[in-house]
Structure formats: C-alpha cells, structure tokens
Amino acid sequence: MPEPLICAIILSCRKGSEMVVEVNVNDIVRLRKPHPCGGYEWRVVRVGADIGLKCLTCGRRVLLTRRNFERRLKTMVSQAATE
C-alpha cells in the first residue's frame, strides 16, 4: 500500500520541475482548443500568478492560472518587443 503513495510523490516532484514558459504582455499565443467564437489566437494582457488573455476574434477577456495556461498553450505566434 505505501508504494503507490511514494510513486505519487515522485511524479509530483517530476511534474513540478517543468520549465516555466516565458510570457510577456502583448505576446500573441495560440491555444490548443478554440474559443466558442472559433478563434485560436489570444493577446496576453496580464502576467503574474494568473495570465489575462484577450481573444483576437471576439475581444472577450479571460483569466487563466499560469499552470492552466501552460497546459493549454500550443505555440507562441509572436512575441512583444522587450526593452
């Protein structure tokens, strides 16, 4: 019985060691599933523990946790110029 518990702890440690995605305000990202309006591309409007996104098709704004955002992210379409 203790073995599955140990395996779960090891898996959570491995999962926590994943690299954090570098994202900035005004980046354009493509998510895996479309928004109900049919759009795949979003503009990043807020960065922090939560990521704020604005749909480029309909203009709807959503707020995702960073973890949820990283799971749903497919590609970075364009990155904003950083100073």
Side-chain angles (χ1 to χ4, degrees), residues 1-3 7 9 13 15-16 18 25 27 34 42 45-46 48 54 57 61 64 67 70 75 77 81:
M1 191 91 169
E3 290 180 13
C7 292
I9 293 169
C13 291
K15 197 169 197 175
E18 293 176 2
V25 175
D27 286 352
W42 300 78
V45 294
R46 180 181 187 277
K54 183 176 182 181
T57 306
R61 291 178 63 146
L64 298 175
R67 181 177 180 200
E70 289 174 358
T75 60
V77 176

Side-chain angles (χ1 to χ4, degrees), residues 33-70:
K33 293 186 178 179
H35 189 240
C37 72
Y40 281 90
E41 295 183 354
W42 300 78
R43 180 178 308 278
V44 177
V45 294
R46 180 181 187 277
V47 177
D50 296 323
I51 307 292
L53 300 172
K54 183 176 182 181
C55 179
L56 294 179
T57 306
C58 68
R60 174 76 64 169
R61 291 178 63 146
V62 298
L63 194 63
L64 298 175
T65 62
R66 184 174 284 272
R67 181 177 180 200
N68 200 1
F69 170 77
E70 289 174 358

